[in-house]
Amino acid sequence: MTPDPRGQVFDEHRNLLFSVAYRILGTAADAEDAVQDAWLRWSAADRSQVADPKAYLARIVSNLALDRLRSAQVRRETYVGPWLPEPILTSTDTADDVAATDALSMALLVVLEALTPLERAVFVLKEAFGFSYAEIAEAVDRSEDAVRQAAHRARGHVQARRPRFPADRARQREVTERFLTAATGGDINVLMQLLAPDVTLWTDGGGKVRQAMRPVTGADRVAAWFAGIATRPYQGVEPADMAVELVELNGRPGIVFSGRGRVIATLTLDLDEDGRIAGIHNVANPDKLHAVATRTVHRIEPAR
């Protein structure tokens, strides 16, 4: 059977399309749906009219993701407790490519939630993938001037709120390992050494599992929270029966907790300029753990 060249071209760019859609949407399931819809449109397209398949596909998936994001933002306004992005397992080709991994971090995706859908799409296409303003204007069906203005607003907002001191991977992994040992052992003293005084913990249970309904702030409160859960069952699983795995989540070392044949939660850390933990993102909503549970690994696409 002769291979379908249309399918081959799409598969060449599938990872890029997922990366664009995921960064715009913050959920792997919606990103996969956007990619599938893009395939349907690509299958029906007149290839003789497509000069640049990569740009054409990026435009399709960007518009599809934008439409989905507008609908999703309405639902997220009534979300129970803090809303966090859906974590994904990743693979980084260049271990020290801080820019590529930071662009996919949970902390940045949380910041992007405060942008308008247009600002978010423009920021992702410009900062994460290096598209020109002209290419982005075509992708989102706006004038180039409107795109430049959206990029300026988005960049200012992100710079004011994103972590300014991304740690190198070796330091990130070291702190994550020490935190894991201290948290599972209920060692408050070590936890206090690792946590920044103004550390913030966000827990996302989505109303499906019991979690903190508001961010927990301050080293004392965060350390006590983790020391407490280390001594009692979590979602019906005894601490002794829980499996803990150190993996790469969203471009950084992260932790996956499992028990009774299912993924229970994930955890990622953000460090400050002193290498202390300034932010913790804990996702326990079972609806957001499918991508991790299926063990699907996504390769990070750096800016071109």
Side-chain angles (χ1 to χ4, degrees):
M1 179 180 294
T2 304
D4 178 9
R6 188 169 304 194
Q8 288 181 327
V9 171
F10 189 88
D11 287 341
E12 288 175 10
H13 301 299
R14 182 182 292 274
N15 190 59
L16 170 67
L17 300 181
F18 174 85
S19 297
V20 170
Y22 175 72
R23 284 173 167 96
I24 292 176
L25 290 162
T27 66
D30 285 341
E32 293 286 8
D33 287 344
V35 172
Q36 182 60 31
D37 289 346
W39 161 248
L40 295 176
R41 294 197 183 186
W42 171 250
S43 298
D46 180 357
R47 280 180 294 169
S48 66
Q49 301 299 313
V50 179
D52 184 346
K54 180 179 179 181
Y56 180 85
L57 288 168
R59 181 169 71 251
I60 290 176
V61 84
S62 297
N63 275 306
L64 289 167
L66 267 173
D67 289 341
R68 287 180 175 275
L69 180 59
R70 292 186 181 104
S71 299
Q73 285 194 324
V74 175
R75 297 193 301 272
R76 291 173 192 177
E77 290 175 359
T78 59
Y79 194 79
V80 179
W83 187 95
L84 294 178
E86 182 180 354
I88 58 173
L89 296 167
T90 55
S91 173
T92 309
D93 291 338
T94 306
D96 295 324
D97 191 344
V98 176
T101 57
D102 186 52
L104 198 63
S105 70
M106 295 288 283
L108 178 58
L109 291 175
V110 169
V111 172
L112 295 184
E113 277 297 301
L115 303 181
T116 68
L118 176 62
E119 289 169 350
R120 181 165 183 164
V122 170
F123 182 87
V124 167
L125 292 173
K126 181 63 178 175
E127 302 298 327
F129 298 101
F131 282 81
S132 69
Y133 289 118
E135 290 172 320
I136 298 172
E138 185 177 2
V140 299
D141 195 24
R142 296 291 193 280
S143 68
E144 191 170 335
D145 185 58
V147 165
R148 287 182 182 275
Q149 292 178 21
H152 177 75
R153 292 193 302 269
R155 194 177 300 113
H157 181 92
V158 171
Q159 288 176 349
R161 292 165 177 80
R162 77 189 300 179
R164 292 181 172 83
F165 306 96
D168 64 75
R169 291 176 63 80
R171 176 61 173 164
Q172 188 88 33
R173 185 177 182 87
E174 175 197 351
V175 173
T176 302
E177 289 175 341
R178 292 181 62 197
F179 174 85
L180 175 58
T181 300
T184 54
D187 193 332
I188 288 186
N189 290 330
V190 174
L191 285 172
M192 290 296 293
Q193 294 172 13
L194 295 172
L195 300 173
D198 57 349
V199 61
T200 300
L201 163 68
W202 290 269
T203 64
D204 180 345
K208 305 294 180 68
V209 298
R210 189 173 182 179
Q211 290 286 83
M213 294 298 293
R214 293 182 178 83
V216 181
T217 58
D220 289 345
R221 295 180 64 200
V222 172
W225 194 89
F226 279 104
I229 65 172
T231 60
R232 58 178 182 265
Y234 184 72
Q235 296 187 39
V237 181
E238 294 288 343
D241 298 327
M242 193 174 295
V244 184
E245 185 181 4
L246 195 64
V247 298
E248 183 179 304
L249 289 173
N250 291 75
R252 296 182 176 183
I255 304 167
V256 175
F257 298 89
S258 304
R260 293 191 175 181
R262 71 183 193 278
V263 174
I264 297 172
T266 65
L267 202 72
T268 54
L269 311 175
D270 298 308
L271 308 186
D272 64 14
E273 65 271 28
D274 298 318
R276 293 179 300 180
I277 300 169
I280 305 173
H281 296 97
N282 174 209
V283 179
N285 183 346
D287 293 342
K288 294 185 177 181
L289 298 174
H290 296 306
V292 173
T294 60
R295 311 298 293 184
T296 302
V297 179
H298 297 276
R299 185 174 61 84
I300 291 179
E301 286 279 352
R304 62 188 185 185

